[in-house]
Amino acid sequence: MTRRSARQIWGRAFAIVTALLATLALLVGCSTKSDTEQPPEAKGPQIVYEPAADADDVSPIAPVSVRVEDGTLRDVTLTNPAGKPVKGAPSADLTTWTVGEPLGYGVTYTWSGTAVGAENKTAPIEGSFTTLTPDSRTSANIQIADGQEVGIAASIIVQFDAHVEDKAAVEKALTVKTDPPTVGSWAWLPDDNGSRAHWRPQNYWVPGTKVSLDAKLYGVNYGDGAYGDSDITSNFSIGRSQIVKASAPSHRMQVIRDGEVVFDFAVSYGEGNEDRNVTRSGVHVVSEKHEDFLMSNPPFYENVRERWAVRISNNGEFIHANPETTGVQGSSNVTNGCINLSPEDAAVYFPTALYGDPVEVTGTRIDLSAADGDIYDWTIDWDTWKSLSALAEKPGSPVSATAVKPAPIPAQPSTPGR
């Protein structure tokens, strides 16, 4: 075996050490490159608008807000073209700002403010949207005023100044609250100078009931391009129980208050020899009263002054004084359809009558109906009444308010019978 020289041994060792150092340098170089890489750049805040930027035909009662992801909001405002800020408020974590009031029709609103994200990166709150412009706006009113006390048969009547096509959408905006709780339902009666919705309890109101109506009608789509003009409210109460029992065959009229007879008057009802002068049977409702009233019923009489007149129907039926029939009151029916009392008895009854009192007429050959005026609510049985709600379920058909309807109301004389 050849003996290697010291020079050869050291040369080989040097080569090995050199290779090891090169490998180590390569490993160190890789580690150094990894350690010096920069972290990804922080994203700016992401902004979400509701409705979307530049949206048109936005409902004035739709939810409106701006929200930021990965950040917070600062100094957010929404202004109308005049620069007036819309009411609104931020969420507790400052990530959402929400409008707190209805907007106007046909108005362009503009956002402003700032969103701040990580590392204080900012993004502007900006852009605009425009609310819808209705083809028409429909107004409504309620016949019972705030604070009014009414009788136990009073319906809540919401009268619209035009036809309502989408009755279901409108009815969803009508809320009735009562204390104590009271079973009742809305019913849409045939249009009378516009659509009308009546809310009636199943039975007469409990005396002392507190009632509130909240009709959130502004911005509601009524259909056919019409929208609600404004909200309406009413808070009222039910007074004492007073029921007039009017039996035509008896020629008398009893006033029953809180279950006790307080008056028993001799009266005269409609003569009944013609349909026009039959006092209608059924539950009438006191709707107004006048100490003096000019009554006309051409061609029979015109502008006759009557005293202590209490209207109970729009077909011309009143309870009123009539000195010309005092000789037969209590023994014969001779009127044109009204209930006649002596001047003395009428003066006693008049101040006790309250809007919404029921007047229950019995014993005549024609029943009160839709043909007799606007308040015939209590002549409709409860199941039929409920079916007149636009939200009632109709077996085998879509929700509809037209499945059951009373007869249409004919034109009424402008002044009543006697």
Side-chain angles (χ1 to χ4, degrees):
M1 178 181 260
T2 306
R3 191 179 195 91
R4 286 183 286 186
S5 66
R7 183 185 295 263
Q8 290 175 319
I9 293 172
W10 280 109
R12 185 176 182 185
F14 180 79
I16 292 171
V17 170
T18 300
L20 289 173
L21 288 173
T23 300
L24 179 61
L26 179 63
L27 291 174
V28 171
C30 290
S31 175
T32 302
K33 181 179 180 181
S34 174
D35 289 346
T36 59
E37 282 185 348
Q38 297 297 318
E41 187 175 352
K43 293 182 180 180
Q46 304 299 305
I47 303 168
V48 179
Y49 298 95
E50 184 180 358
D54 301 320
D56 290 322
D57 293 329
V58 175
S59 169
I61 57 174
V64 175
S65 65
V66 61
R67 175 171 54 87
V68 62
E69 297 176 356
D70 303 321
T72 56
L73 298 171
R74 291 182 184 173
D75 303 323
V76 174
T77 58
L78 181 68
T79 56
N80 67 14
K84 181 180 179 181
V86 175
K87 291 180 182 178
S91 59
D93 60 3
L94 302 181
T95 61
T96 303
W97 191 94
T98 304
V99 166
E101 65 177 334
L103 302 180
Y105 285 120
V107 178
T108 297
Y109 292 91
T110 303
W111 290 107
S112 64
T114 305
V116 181
E119 298 184 2
N120 286 324
K121 286 187 174 293
T122 63
I125 306 297
E126 59 188 359
S128 61
F129 63 90
T130 303
T131 55
L132 62 87
T133 300
D135 293 340
S136 62
R137 293 166 63 166
T138 301
S139 297
N141 62 72
I142 179 175
Q143 92 288 11
I144 303 176
D146 267 336
Q148 188 174 350
E149 186 177 79
V150 299
I152 60 173
S155 295
I156 302 170
I157 301 174
V158 179
Q159 177 70 52
F160 300 87
D161 67 357
H163 175 70
V164 173
E165 183 63 28
D166 193 344
K167 293 179 172 62
V170 172
E171 189 171 327
K172 289 176 182 177
L174 306 177
T175 302
V176 176
K177 295 182 179 180
T178 67
D179 182 19
T182 304
V183 176
S185 173
W186 288 103
W188 290 83
L189 303 184
D191 282 17
D192 182 13
N193 296 314
S195 293
R196 51 186 175 144
H198 292 211
W199 194 96
R200 196 202 89 187
Q202 181 176 5
N203 303 301
Y204 290 155
W205 292 101
V206 173
T209 299
K210 305 297 182 184
V211 186
S212 68
L213 168 70
D214 188 8
K216 296 290 189 183
L217 297 173
Y218 177 76
V220 174
N221 186 346
Y222 286 24
D224 288 342
Y227 284 78
D229 181 70
S230 59
D231 296 341
I232 56 174
T233 61
S234 181
N235 297 280
F236 60 94
S237 61
I238 309 302
R240 77 289 176 270
S241 170
Q242 180 160 297
I243 303 170
V244 172
K245 298 281 189 179
S247 171
S250 74
H251 315 300
R252 301 197 70 83
M253 184 188 95
Q254 291 186 328
V255 180
I256 301 172
R257 189 178 306 149
D258 296 325
E260 296 186 5
V261 177
V262 291
F263 304 121
D264 189 342
F265 300 126
V267 300
S268 181
Y269 296 87
E271 185 175 3
N273 60 322
E274 299 179 44
D275 288 355
R276 68 168 185 83
N277 61 21
V278 175
T279 306
R280 287 358 188 198
S281 287
V283 179
H284 300 62
V285 178
V286 171
S287 58
E288 58 180 299
K289 62 182 185 178
H290 307 272
E291 291 186 16
D292 287 279
F293 197 79
L294 292 178
M295 294 190 182
S296 296
N297 189 6
F300 307 102
Y301 55 87
E302 206 165 344
N303 291 328
V304 176
R305 182 189 179 214
E306 302 291 1
R307 294 277 291 163
W308 314 118
V310 177
R311 186 191 290 275
I312 60 172
S313 169
N314 264 4
N315 68 353
E317 291 173 310
F318 279 75
I319 300 172
H320 68 88
N322 190 346
E324 295 182 10
T325 64
T326 54
V328 297
Q329 290 170 11
S331 60
S332 183
N333 294 327
V334 299
T335 80
N336 278 285
C338 292
I339 302 175
N340 287 179
L341 293 81
S342 69
E344 295 77 17
D345 289 345
V348 170
Y349 165 68
F350 181 87
T352 75
L354 195 63
Y355 177 91
D357 282 347
V359 177
E360 301 174 355
V361 178
T362 56
T364 69
R365 61 183 177 83
I366 299 179
D367 290 337
L368 184 72
S369 70
D372 295 299
D374 58 348
I375 306 179
Y376 54 93
D377 300 11
W378 295 96
T379 69
I380 302 173
D381 69 86
W382 181 241
D383 287 339
T384 302
W385 182 267
K386 290 189 296 180
S387 76
L388 297 175
S389 164
L391 303 179
E393 295 182 3
K394 311 291 194 259
S397 67
V399 170
S400 170
T402 59
V404 181
K405 274 191 175 180
I409 300 175
Q412 298 295 316
S414 58
T415 47
R418 192 170 181 234

